[in-house]
Amino acid sequence: MIHVRTPRRRLAAAVTAVLAVTAAGLATPAVATTPLPDAGATATASAADQDVISLPPGSYLIGVGPSGFLTYQSSDSATAYSWTRHSDGVTTPLPPDVYMGSAQTDLAVTSDEGIHTLRDLATGADPVEIDSTGLGPDADLHRLVGSTLVMSKPNATGGTEVHLVSKPADTVLDREVTGLPENAWVYRYDVSSPDTLILTYNTVGAPGKHLALVDVATGAITEDRVISDLGYRGDASTSATHVAWTETSDIGAVTLAVARRGDPSTGPERIPLGWGDVRAAELLGSDWVTYGVDDTRQSYPSHLYGLTARSLTTGKTVKLLDSVQHVMREADGRQLVQGGTLDHGKGVYRISVGTDGTPVATLVASTGESLTITAEVYKPLPEVVDFGSGDAKFWWLINRDNTELRLQLTHTASGKQWTSEPRGIAGPGVSGVVWTGLFGDYTAAYNGDYTWRMTVRPSNGIGPAVEQTGTLKVANKPAPHDFSDSGSPDLLVKDGSGRLIGYDARQTLYQTGKWGFPSKREQVAYGTGWNIYDRVAAPGNLGGSVHADVIGRDRDGVLWLYTGTGKHFAPRTKIGGGWQIYDKLTGGSDLTGDGRPDLVAADKAGDLYLYKGTGNAAAPFAARKKIGGGWGIYNQLTATGDLGGAPAGDLLARDKAGVLWLYLGKGDGTFAARTRLGAGWNRYTDIVGVGDTNNDSRPDLVVQGVMGGTYETLAHYQGTGDWRRPFGNRQEVYNPEELGTGSVTLF
């Protein structure tokens, strides 16, 4: 049950509601020094005229006294501390320093080089300095209990000496805790009240863990219990009548143990809680105990999140908060808790036992932070995307920490999807995803209409997810080797059985290839019977549409055109006969500078001819024009597009010795003098100018070794844009599956 505190003149109208779970402890900040301001310093908020006290976002509770409570707020540059009065809700900023709070007192301590300054935050009285340098440089400060410092230092046996250091009557008093075994190694120091210190220790060289209660007034251990385990992330607390702690088994099962004080021989009641790091176990009044798990930065749901109260008499449980980070016991048996609810957000809540005997939570101070997720568009979301101009970026402003964002896009026509990896959001702020233009199987995304769905869910399961939807259009520019209407090149394969098969180049070369992703390559079947052709080429868009085409020469020397439709090919049309005179032909480069792809063919006499593209599917080439002789020294020609940054397309030629030469196009259908690129290219049966496979606006090469289509022979060369060295190093492609049946030809 939760109450929202209203103005004091309207307290009778407090609102109540039933809620859900969470909890945890805070590692006490380190310590230092600076003078305290006057108690009447300027207030940042007052509760007299509003429903609850207003605290800065990110405020964290670290001390609770009868007059007020101590909080801090961290930023990248500094940590700021504040004191808030119960009586009127006034919040006073404290001078810059590092403060350690206490339970049930208005005191805080700062430390510097063994000098500890004790400050009364309620009255602003003169601070008290306590010099602990006499304990030596190995002494550490752990807690402030009342006006007493809890410190420790190692002893000669490897155990821990625990010292209670105070300054009554202007004299530093150092008392070593008695009753602690010499070989005890203390690893937890817990405080619920100013009169009792709780030590958790094990003994060096001996099994077992112990929970010891120390009477702060005498410095003596009054109870010592053997416990199963209380780890660093557990908790322990005391009241006048009970002691409670958490135990964790070897497999992570958590048990809440509660025992009556005064008889260590009597075993506790053990209450199984399940699995999780229960960090907030605190006694409430005389008949209840609260517990929970800190959900901060947790990436999985748990029934232990939030704050739950359990009756010590009936076993009844009541969920009080949806989220909890720190619980501190007040002098009257109530609790002040750092936590939150879905209805009222984050802040400081008071937990008390209501008039009907059931615990209730009352919102005392709000940080203005919500546990309910909101997502606001941070930058305009993409409506039309051309991946040649950049990736699609989706950014939202998320109000809550510990959330996870995921985006899913669906191509309307095909149903193919891309879903982003979950993006964890550690804190409130801008977050989003970048879509690089691939589907979930790593093929290039098709042009056309898409719907998108963005979901932000709480990683810890606290609260509902938020969902937004929208639409966009992918409109990539046409590419000369794109047969799937994606704006990204595809690799065509003619296999030994006469099948024509298409493979997405980005998936084949980079995703399943270069990086070894296990996804199966997507095949697109373009039909059978292609073994009637002894030459097949992909010259780009010959017919004036936006889609790339294919030409094939049959064994009678007739050249045929297959016009691309963006998914398949239209029925073939005859270009003309007599093409058997050529033993090499290639197309795809614009050699004349008119924006249309051209074809070059070398006859058996070594003469090279240019067939200028017309853009007319009925007559795709102008009459041939001889542009050179002596090309009989080459056994392969490859049109590549623009390799060197000039306005025209270029040509690669491999000689019979395996040397590869570059002919830079001049834009008038002729070439500059050849440039030697390197030897050893006779290892390849196919050299394909496939286009831009990695979306960097530079044409690349795909090659196949003499073995043909196996993982040992497929490779690619990434374009550099520099004609002096137009390709980077060979990159082998992981290709465990054959690209086709029998001998395969790439183009």
Side-chain angles (χ1 to χ4, degrees):
M1 182 176 296
I2 180 165
H3 289 172
V4 179
R5 192 174 71 174
T6 60
R8 283 150 180 75
R9 61 181 177 274
R10 293 189 287 113
L11 279 176
V15 182
T16 62
V18 179
L19 288 164
V21 225
T22 305
L26 170 72
T28 304
V31 256
T33 23
T34 315
L36 187 69
D38 294 338
T42 305
T44 60
S46 171
D49 298 314
Q50 59 187 39
D51 286 355
V52 293
I53 299 167
S54 178
L55 293 177
S59 296
Y60 202 97
L61 180 70
I62 57 171
V64 175
S67 301
F69 54 90
L70 176 66
T71 57
Y72 76 86
Q73 312 89 45
S74 289
S75 66
D76 294 337
S77 58
T79 299
Y81 292 80
S82 302
W83 173 254
T84 301
R85 291 199 296 259
H86 293 312
S87 59
D88 55 11
V90 169
T91 296
T92 303
L94 300 179
D97 213 324
V98 180
Y99 295 80
M100 178 184 290
S102 65
Q104 301 183 24
T105 75
D106 296 327
L107 302 176
V109 65
T110 60
S111 300
D112 183 24
E113 301 288 338
I115 305 299
H116 311 282
T117 304
L118 202 62
R119 307 174 185 275
D120 189 326
L121 302 180
T123 66
D126 292 338
V128 175
E129 286 192 354
I130 301 176
D131 186 348
S132 69
T133 55
L135 287 174
D138 294 334
D140 294 317
L141 173 64
H142 298 283
R143 291 287 186 269
L144 176 62
V145 185
S147 58
T148 300
L149 308 178
V150 179
M151 305 189 69
S152 74
K153 60 181 292 187
N155 62 24
T157 67
T160 306
E161 293 179 7
V162 179
H163 292 255
L164 304 178
V165 183
S166 57
K167 193 177 181 181
D170 293 330
T171 301
V172 174
L173 178 62
D174 174 16
R175 297 171 294 141
E176 183 177 351
V177 171
T178 59
L180 193 65
E182 191 176 52
N183 62 344
W185 180 68
V186 181
Y187 62 91
R188 280 191 62 91
Y189 301 79
D190 290 288
V191 176
S192 290
S193 66
D195 58 10
T196 303
L197 170 66
I198 310 169
L199 302 178
T200 310
Y201 71 91
N202 57 25
T203 49
V204 178
K209 291 181 170 58
H210 293 253
L211 188 74
L213 305 187
V214 179
D215 181 354
V216 175
T218 64
I221 290 178
T222 58
E223 296 184 30
D224 194 323
R225 294 174 178 272
V226 176
I227 62 175
S228 296
D229 189 16
L230 199 167
Y232 291 101
R233 298 178 66 84
D235 200 7
S237 65
T238 59
S239 67
T241 55
H242 291 85
V243 56
W245 66 93
T246 57
E247 298 177 347
T248 305
S249 71
D250 293 339
I251 60 173
V254 179
T255 299
L256 176 65
V258 182
R260 284 201 163 271
R261 291 184 65 170
D263 186 4
S265 62
T266 302
E269 177 188 5
R270 284 188 162 86
I271 305 152
L273 298 181
W275 277 259
D277 296 322
V278 177
R279 301 182 63 190
E282 190 69 52
L283 291 154
L284 173 66
S286 59
D287 297 319
W288 294 84
V289 62
T290 61
Y291 59 87
V293 172
D294 183 358
D295 61 272
T296 306
R297 304 194 188 283
Q298 297 294 345
S299 59
Y300 56 88
S302 171
H303 71 284
L304 292 174
Y305 292 154
L307 190 68
T308 299
R310 179 185 176 90
S311 171
L312 298 179
T313 56
T314 67
K316 173 185 176 181
T317 60
V318 178
K319 290 289 186 65
L320 297 168
L321 301 177
D322 293 307
S323 174
V324 67
Q325 287 77 49
H326 194 196
V327 181
M328 301 191 75
R329 184 179 171 88
E330 296 186 283
D332 57 6
R334 298 183 298 177
Q335 298 172 357
L336 219 56
V337 178
Q338 179 83 39
T341 70
L342 293 173
D343 286 342
H344 303 292
K346 297 182 181 181
V348 176
Y349 288 78
R350 176 165 283 117
I351 310 299
S352 58
V353 179
T355 55
D356 63 352
T358 302
V360 294
T362 302
L363 180 59
V364 173
S366 172
T367 63
E369 299 164 289
S370 177
L371 284 180
T372 301
I373 300 171
T374 62
E376 299 178 14
V377 174
Y378 180 68
K379 291 184 177 181
L381 299 174
E383 296 179 358
V384 179
V385 179
D386 174 4
F387 288 103
S389 302
D391 297 330
K393 299 176 181 179
F394 299 79
W395 299 108
W396 284 273
L397 181 62
I398 311 299
N399 71 315
R400 220 194 86 170
D401 59 0
N402 201 14
T403 54
E404 181 180 276
L405 183 147
R406 189 187 291 262
L407 181 70
Q408 183 179 76
L409 292 108
T410 303
H411 183 240
T412 304
S414 68
K416 289 192 69 172
Q417 293 183 331
W418 174 79
T419 303
S420 68
E421 292 294 323
R423 184 179 181 89
I425 305 170
V430 176
S431 185
V433 296
V434 177
W435 184 33
T436 60
L438 296 176
F439 285 124
D441 61 359
Y442 305 107
T443 58
Y446 305 143
N447 287 326
D449 294 328
Y450 286 76
T451 58
W452 58 260
R453 183 184 304 275
M454 183 278 291
T455 304
V456 183
R457 69 170 188 86
S459 301
N460 52 23
I462 298 175
V466 168
E467 189 174 275
Q468 294 180 10
T469 59
T471 61
L472 63 81
K473 181 183 291 291
V474 173
N476 294 314
K477 294 179 178 64
H481 229 272
D482 170 27
F483 303 99
S484 58
D485 193 25
S486 64
S488 182
D490 301 296
L491 186 63
L492 294 183
V493 171
K494 180 169 74 77
D495 74 3
S497 68
R499 293 184 304 160
L500 186 64
I501 306 166
Y503 293 94
D504 182 90
R506 291 183 71 181
Q507 183 198 51
T508 299
L509 301 179
Y510 285 90
Q511 305 304 326
T512 58
K514 180 180 177 182
W515 305 116
F517 282 88
S519 63
K520 186 177 179 63
R521 285 184 176 85
E522 182 180 73
Q523 286 189 358
V524 178
Y526 291 113
T528 60
W530 287 78
N531 49 6
I532 66 173
Y533 302 113
D534 62 3
R535 290 286 188 276
V536 180
N541 168 27
L542 296 176
S545 72
V546 297
H547 304 299
D549 308 322
V550 167
I551 57 174
R553 185 186 68 184
D554 66 22
R555 287 175 172 78
D556 294 326
V558 178
L559 195 65
W560 300 87
L561 171 64
Y562 287 83
T563 303
T565 66
K567 293 299 177 185
H568 296 285
F569 298 108
R572 69 179 187 173
T573 59
K574 185 177 179 179
I575 295 175
W579 290 79
Q580 70 273 14
I581 66 173
Y582 301 115
D583 61 355
K584 295 176 287 291
L585 59 85
T586 186
S589 290
D590 173 18
L591 302 176
T592 58
D594 62 0
R596 302 187 186 104
D598 305 311
L599 188 73
V600 291
D603 64 18
K604 296 172 184 177
D607 292 329
L608 188 68
Y609 292 88
L610 168 68
Y611 285 84
K612 182 179 178 181
T614 66
N616 180 2
F621 301 116
R624 73 176 187 172
K625 176 183 178 181
K626 184 178 178 179
I627 56 174
W631 289 74
I633 64 173
Y634 301 116
N635 59 19
Q636 186 158 13
L637 302 179
T638 302
T640 61
D642 173 23
L643 291 177
D650 306 319
L651 190 67
L652 295 176
R654 182 185 65 188
D655 66 23
K656 294 174 183 178
V659 178
L660 191 68
W661 300 86
L662 170 63
Y663 285 85
L664 291 173
K666 296 166 68 175
D668 59 359
T670 64
F671 301 100
R674 68 179 187 173
T675 302
R676 188 178 190 271
L677 298 183
W681 289 78
N682 52 359
R683 68 189 292 188
Y684 303 125
T685 57
D686 302 305
I687 302 174
V688 181
V690 71
D692 178 16
T693 61
N694 60 346
N695 217 25
D696 66 355
S697 301
R698 296 166 181 161
D700 308 317
L701 280 186
V702 175
V703 296
Q704 179 183 218
V706 294
M707 297 294 293
T710 71
Y711 71 93
E712 297 173 333
T713 60
L714 193 64
H716 69 103
Y717 292 84
Q718 186 172 316
T720 65
D722 182 354
W723 66 269
R724 292 162 296 186
R725 187 178 179 271
F727 302 110
N729 296 329
R730 167 189 163 97
Q731 297 182 21
E732 294 185 355
V733 174
Y734 176 66
N735 186 38
E737 297 175 344
E738 300 289 345
L739 295 176
T741 302
S743 176
V744 298
T745 301
L746 275 57
F747 62 94

